[in-house]
Amino acid sequence: MSIAWRDHIETSRLWLRCPQPGDGDALYLAVQESLTALRQWPDSLPWAQKPQTPDRAEDYCQSCFGAFVLGLSWPMLMIDKATGTLLGSVGFHRMDPAVPEFELGYWCRTSAHGRGLMSEAVVALSDAALACVPSVRLVCRVDERNTASCRVVEKSHYRFVRSVIETPQADRPALAVRFYERLSVPHTVQLA
């Protein structure tokens, strides 16, 4: 499936745009501000558990740009239109065009919490995905203890599908996970 993803999306308060080479310093600052909060969710945000550096953030931006150009994922940075501040990231990182199914991931800078910006970004990107591929199933997997994240997807027109207790792994105990989906057309394929 070859799709021309939009490289930027405008909302009332945000620019969503593909990470570019040179965005690493701004991304590093946003992550550093938010690292304590991000590290609460190791299953959802395993990258946040690793040491963070400006070089690692720049490598991430460059690899995201490459993945976007190749159509392997659809990462977007959230930029405040009023200040130009990088506020977080939203994107479809696991994309299976055969199903078709795209898995949503996101995080928001701590100082931007509680303003509805994450929901605004999720709605905009999800709407764009459904406009590009109307038959796609958009899915989101959320640690059920992360009530703020559950509220984001629920406010963003995703519907709760089910809760699952995932088996313990070597690096984590059993985990209760909530699965959400957003569709534009009926599907018969079940979530895995």
Side-chain angles (χ1 to χ4, degrees):
M1 174 184 295
S2 177
I3 300 167
W5 303 119
R6 294 171 60 185
D7 63 350
H8 67 280
I9 298 169
E10 182 178 5
T11 72
S12 61
R13 299 179 291 171
L14 300 170
W15 282 107
L16 303 180
R17 68 166 176 78
C18 179
Q20 303 281 319
D23 283 334
D25 286 341
L27 179 63
Y28 175 74
L29 291 174
V31 168
Q32 283 304 111
E33 175 189 309
S34 311
L35 205 49
T36 300
L38 297 172
R39 286 185 170 159
Q40 291 179 53
W41 315 112
D43 187 63
S44 302
L45 302 166
W47 58 268
Q49 311 313 306
K50 299 174 184 169
Q52 304 296 309
T53 67
D55 287 342
R56 188 168 274 177
E58 180 61 26
D59 289 346
Y60 172 81
C61 291
Q62 291 185 23
S63 66
C64 282
F65 180 73
F68 171 82
V69 168
L70 294 172
L72 302 174
S73 64
W74 196 2
M76 302 293 261
L77 297 178
M78 298 167 46
I79 310 295
D80 185 307
K81 285 169 64 173
T83 66
T85 303
L86 192 151
L87 300 178
S89 178
V90 59
F92 294 107
H93 303 290
R94 292 188 188 111
M95 298 171 64
D96 183 349
V99 173
E101 182 175 279
F102 302 165
E103 185 174 340
L104 176 71
Y106 52 86
W107 66 272
C108 187
R109 187 179 196 136
T110 303
S111 60
H113 286 186
R115 296 171 31 206
L117 294 165
M118 194 74 257
S119 297
E120 186 174 322
V122 168
V123 167
L125 186 61
S126 299
D127 287 351
L130 291 168
C132 287
V133 187
S135 62
V136 73
R137 165 184 273 132
L138 305 178
V139 297
C140 190
R141 178 184 171 282
V142 182
D143 182 323
E144 75 174 20
R145 297 169 300 158
N146 190 344
T147 56
S149 192
C150 291
R151 280 193 308 273
V152 165
V153 288
E154 289 164 1
K155 287 182 355 184
S156 302
H157 315 297
Y158 282 71
R159 76 174 182 90
F160 172 71
V161 176
R162 70 175 182 267
S163 285
V164 173
I165 304 295
E166 294 184 345
T167 22
Q169 303 293 320
D171 58 342
R172 69 160 171 80
L175 183 66
V177 176
R178 293 176 62 91
F179 286 89
Y180 293 88
E181 70 178 2
R182 183 168 170 201
L183 312 170
S184 65
V185 297
H187 281 258
T188 57
V189 178
Q190 296 296 313
L191 286 173

